[in-house]
Amino acid sequence: MYLLLVGPPGAGKGTQAKRLAKAYSIPHIATGDIFREAIKNETPLGKKAKEYIDQGKLVPDEVTIGMVEERLSRDDCQKGFILDGFPRTVNQADALTNILEDLEICLDIVFNINVSDQEVINRLSGRRVCSECGASFHIEFSPPQETGVCDECDGGLYQRDDDNPETIKERLVVYSKQTAPLIDYYQERDLICVIDGEKNPEQVFVKIKEALEAIK
Ligand code: AMP
């Protein structure tokens, strides 16, 4: 199954992608995670990406597209994948169309996870992420059992540098200008399935699974 998740920052794409990867045994490919790993390891890619990520801007297409092309050509993507956070521009979507054509892969569905700007601000400003396994918590809406400690793996929780009020606002502007046009792009290709992302993660997951069952 070849899936793509679109939605504003904080829509729950990562949370749903992790569940889907487990349920369907397919890789979860998140460009944001790849960049954060590169930043942690202080690689040249990480240094370049950090300049943009810290400002809430998109990493340039010429950096991002090549990185995704390399990832999708690996063997583990042959039976399926979940793309989370890519594409984020129409140019990236065109590049993805070409990459998938070369790999003889057709996307099955594109989930548009809908969440209001106010909900995004509420979610991201209280988000805490596990530095080990990437699990997401919220200090108010879904706090960990022990403050600062991941329920899943006991890893330490941290606040992402780009989850601060100014950068969140910029990321929302970038989303509406550069990424939201992808909804029409994939609508024209009859691939969009709209999901209400304001429901709780379990309810959202049920809706996604229902849509996947329907296209099988
Ligand atoms: P995310 O974890 O998906 O919220 O991504 C965090 C940040 O990484 C974004 O705000 C961008 O700066 C950068 N990023 C992630 N994916 C992409 C992409 N497809 N194109 C450009 N920048 C990206």
Side-chain angles (χ1 to χ4, degrees):
M1 221 161 1
Y2 302 98
L3 316 178
L4 210 148
L5 304 182
V6 180
K13 301 185 296 297
T15 302
Q16 296 302 325
K18 279 190 189 66
R19 287 175 177 236
L20 286 163
K22 207 167 165 190
Y24 295 96
S25 303
I26 48 177
H28 166 204
I29 301 169
T31 39
D33 288 349
I34 300 175
F35 288 136
R36 277 184 291 279
E37 187 62 24
I39 292 171
K40 201 161 110 185
N41 295 327
E42 298 181 1
T43 66
L45 170 70
K47 283 181 190 147
K48 178 105 197 137
K50 190 170 164 45
E51 289 169 34
Y52 297 91
I53 293 178
D54 284 354
Q55 294 178 57
K57 309 257 188 239
L58 295 184
V59 178
D61 286 350
E62 55 274 22
V63 176
T64 310
I65 291 168
M67 181 179 92
V68 172
E69 183 166 21
E70 187 281 321
R71 181 66 190 87
L72 293 180
S73 64
R74 293 195 210 157
D75 283 352
D76 65 338
C77 290
Q78 276 179 3
K79 292 217 173 71
F81 54 69
I82 304 144
L83 264 179
D84 158 15
F86 183 93
R88 257 178 158 101
T89 62
V90 170
N91 189 38
Q92 290 181 8
D94 281 334
L96 180 64
T97 300
N98 292 333
I99 294 168
L100 296 182
E101 254 172 42
D102 287 348
L103 294 169
E104 297 182 358
I105 286 172
C106 286
L107 285 176
D108 290 297
I109 195 162
V110 176
F111 289 106
N112 168 23
I113 307 185
N114 243 332
V115 175
S116 69
D117 283 5
Q118 190 52 53
E119 180 71 12
V120 167
I121 293 164
N122 295 344
R123 285 184 184 184
L124 295 190
S125 48
R127 177 160 75 175
R128 297 292 183 272
V129 183
C130 176
S131 55
E132 300 294 323
C133 73
S136 231
F137 298 85
H138 190 283
I139 49 173
E140 201 182 322
F141 310 141
S142 60
Q145 280 168 6
E146 191 183 332
T147 306
V149 180
C150 177
D151 290 351
E152 316 277 329
C153 75
D154 285 344
L157 303 185
Y158 75 105
Q159 183 167 28
R160 278 172 46 170
D161 288 342
D162 57 349
D163 281 348
N164 68 73
E166 280 314 303
T167 316
I168 293 170
K169 267 190 221 145
E170 177 60 21
R171 287 159 70 199
L172 279 169
V173 171
V174 166
Y175 178 78
S176 74
K177 277 199 196 145
Q178 294 183 262
T179 309
L182 294 182
I183 296 163
D184 281 346
Y185 182 98
Y186 286 113
Q187 186 74 61
E188 281 162 19
R189 288 157 180 79
D190 244 349
L191 285 168
I192 285 280
C193 173
V194 181
I195 298 283
D196 177 359
E198 299 215 358
K199 300 264 190 286
N200 72 45
E202 188 51 43
Q203 290 168 315
V204 174
F205 189 55
V206 167
K207 289 287 172 203
I208 290 179
K209 275 198 306 191
E210 280 172 9
L212 290 174
E213 289 303 315
I215 59 162
K216 258 188 185 169

